[in-house]
Amino acid sequence: GHGIFFYPSGPDYALLWYTYFQDGTPTWYYVQGAQPGANGVFNGIIYRSAWNGGANHLVPVGNMLLTPATTSTFTMAYNLDGFTGSEPMQAFLTGCPTVGSGQLNVSTHWFNAAKSGYGYSVQVTPNYEFHAVFAYDGLGQPRFLAAERAGAFDAAGASLPLQQLNGFGPLGAYVPPVRTTIGTLTRTYGANTISTMATSGTYFGGI
């Protein structure tokens, strides 16, 4: 019910951490730092994002250390709002599906460069796809939504249930996330690209 998307960005790594506030409602953080040296340890600044009606505003609220254990596992340690914690993490999705005669290599973060601050993280494999929507509520608080689809991959247009997840904060005791369908996410894929992506939904639970 929580995790990070991890992307190279020039000389840096950029991360999107989807997780929860202490009240269990969904939120996300942006993390950026220089690519690690020989020891492989990544050290990035954690930013909280907010939307002011026309643009996002980033405020540093801590830092994150990622220490690799194997090629697909690492320890995530963080200092967030003055509190510290850590947990083991492992790779969730790898591999690309085939569309036509080539691989569909679209698993990355997609956003509007002219109006950055929100967007979609897309992960597609031959038999499963996962989409995280990084958005804001009516007060400008960062929120994430999720949509997923299992089964044989189909590049044609599909409508996926869009879900709001309520779970546990980074420093709280584990509770299974509660998923509630609040709308739909639609998407179509083209020749190694996303042709269309759209969401429609309504938050619940006081958001």
Side-chain angles (χ1 to χ4, degrees):
H2 74 291
I4 62 174
F5 293 92
F6 192 99
Y7 306 114
S9 178
D12 292 352
Y13 282 148
L15 284 67
L16 289 161
W17 179 15
Y18 61 101
T19 182
Y20 307 90
F21 287 121
Q22 295 302 97
D23 66 359
T25 58
T27 189
W28 57 270
Y29 300 96
Y30 176 73
V31 184
Q32 185 169 345
Q35 293 191 25
N39 65 2
V41 177
F42 169 79
N43 187 350
I45 299 173
I46 302 173
Y47 296 91
R48 178 175 287 114
S49 182
W51 191 259
N52 66 12
N56 74 312
H57 180 64
L58 295 174
V59 175
V61 292
N63 73 294
M64 176 184 289
L65 289 176
L66 303 181
T67 304
T70 69
T71 56
S72 60
T73 62
F74 58 83
T75 297
M76 178 178 73
Y78 50 85
N79 181 301
L80 179 63
D81 290 326
F83 295 92
T84 60
S86 68
E87 59 183 297
M89 305 289 280
Q90 66 183 52
F92 176 44
L93 296 175
T94 59
C96 298
T98 299
V99 175
S101 58
Q103 287 189 327
L104 182 66
N105 183 17
V106 296
S107 294
T108 188
H109 187 66
W110 297 81
F111 70 102
N112 180 353
K115 201 173 183 180
S116 66
Y118 60 91
Y120 302 89
S121 281
V122 176
Q123 301 291 310
V124 293
T125 71
N127 55 15
Y128 178 76
E129 59 183 295
F130 178 84
H131 306 267
V133 182
F134 294 93
Y136 304 87
D137 67 12
L139 297 178
Q141 293 282 355
R143 306 288 183 178
F144 83 88
L145 302 169
E148 56 190 333
R149 180 180 183 273
F153 186 80
D154 185 357
S159 180
L160 287 62
L162 182 66
Q163 295 183 319
Q164 178 179 321
L165 279 65
N166 282 35
F168 60 99
L171 304 171
Y174 172 76
V175 295
V178 176
R179 296 170 174 262
T180 303
T181 298
I182 64 166
T184 57
L185 179 146
T186 57
R187 94 296 180 269
T188 56
Y189 299 106
N192 209 33
T193 190
I194 297 175
S195 299
T196 62
M197 180 77 76
T199 55
S200 175
T202 302
Y203 293 113
F204 78 97
I207 298 179

